Amino acid sequence: MAKSYKEIMNDITTFIFDVDGVLTDSTVHITQTGEMLRTMNIRDGFAMKAAVESGYNVCIISGGSSEGVRIRLRNLGITDIHLSCPNKVDTFKEYIDVYGIKAGQVLYMGDDIPDYHVMQLVGLPSCPQDSSPEIKSISTYISHKNGGKGAVRDVIEQVMKVQGKWNTYFNGKHD
């Protein structure tokens, strides 16, 4: 019998997220100079920071490129930020190899076709509610939240609660 997503969450040590469509709502605003501006959810950011401070590995693998995105993520304590990735599978394999992480310990949240192949390699493939049908079909967990609207907070909070770390985090220095 296959494990439920809650059972798999017990084994998660690492979160990997795509940016566009996961940390954002897939919308880009383009300025007159051609700069693409994205909007990120502050609660997703809070949860990512909580995960980093609680000892989880948090990594970003995205095909997009934005110095603003990199700065925002670094300010949350995320150091493994891979932007402009033409091949997410190669980046994923290199990342878990460098840190000695087992693929079964990884929760990867993606939303569209570029995430498809890497999501097939992880322990807990997950996606926002508004993801493409192809991604939903391979996801063990589909958040009830849309991309950029709390889906990242949802999965981090659930993993930390299953592992007893969510309340511990807030009962410590983060009341």
Side-chain angles (χ1 to χ4, degrees), residues 18 34 49 54 61 75 91 99 103 105 120 138 145 165 172:
D18 179 31
K49 185 173 183 177
S54 297
I61 300 177
N75 287 339
T91 303
Y99 288 98
Q105 298 172 308
Q120 293 181 308
I138 62 166
K145 301 280 190 175
K165 294 181 179 180

Side-chain angles (χ1 to χ4, degrees), residues 16 61-63 82 85-97 103 108 113-122:
I16 300 178
I61 300 177
S62 176
H82 305 274
C85 290
N87 186 325
K88 292 184 177 191
V89 169
D90 288 348
T91 303
F92 167 75
K93 287 180 178 179
E94 182 179 322
Y95 174 75
I96 64 170
D97 185 53
Y108 185 104
I113 303 303
D115 302 302
Y116 188 89
H117 295 293
V118 70
M119 288 177 67
Q120 293 181 308
L121 302 175
V122 304

Side-chain angles (χ1 to χ4, degrees), residues 111-113 116 127 130-139 142:
D111 72 304
D112 208 352
I113 303 303
Y116 188 89
C127 69
D130 59 343
S131 297
S132 72
E134 296 86 356
I135 294 302
K136 285 181 161 183
S137 75
I138 62 166
S139 292
I142 300 171

Side-chain angles (χ1 to χ4, degrees), residues 6 26 50 114 134 151:
K6 289 279 189 183
S26 297
E134 296 86 356

Side-chain angles (χ1 to χ4, degrees), residues 114-171:
D115 302 302
Y116 188 89
H117 295 293
V118 70
M119 288 177 67
Q120 293 181 308
L121 302 175
V122 304
L124 186 52
S126 60
C127 69
Q129 177 62 43
D130 59 343
S131 297
S132 72
E134 296 86 356
I135 294 302
K136 285 181 161 183
S137 75
I138 62 166
S139 292
T140 303
Y141 178 73
I142 300 171
S143 176
H144 64 283
K145 301 280 190 175
N146 286 343
K149 304 294 183 189
V152 169
R153 165 75 176 253
D154 174 39
V155 293
I156 290 173
E157 186 175 333
Q158 284 200 56
V159 168
M160 289 181 71
K161 282 181 175 178
V162 163
Q163 295 181 9
K165 294 181 179 180
W166 186 253
N167 290 336
T168 302
Y169 179 77
F170 294 105
N171 291 329

Side-chain angles (χ1 to χ4, degrees), residues 39-124:
T39 302
M40 291 186 170
N41 185 296
I42 200 77
R43 291 183 185 136
D44 286 347
F46 182 83
M48 288 188 292
K49 185 173 183 177
V52 168
E53 291 180 354
S54 297
Y56 292 93
N57 303 305
V58 179
C59 176
I60 305 300
I61 300 177
S62 176
S65 177
S66 167
E67 195 54 32
V69 168
R70 185 182 308 278
I71 291 167
R72 166 71 176 143
L73 296 170
R74 280 200 177 133
N75 287 339
L76 297 174
I78 299 168
T79 56
D80 294 298
I81 304 166
H82 305 274
L83 303 178
S84 300
C85 290
N87 186 325
K88 292 184 177 191
V89 169
D90 288 348
T91 303
F92 167 75
K93 287 180 178 179
E94 182 179 322
Y95 174 75
I96 64 170
D97 185 53
V98 165
Y99 288 98
I101 300 164
K102 293 183 172 110
Q105 298 172 308
V106 175
L107 180 152
Y108 185 104
M109 181 172 267
D111 72 304
D112 208 352
I113 303 303
D115 302 302
Y116 188 89
H117 295 293
V118 70
M119 288 177 67
Q120 293 181 308
L121 302 175
V122 304
L124 186 52

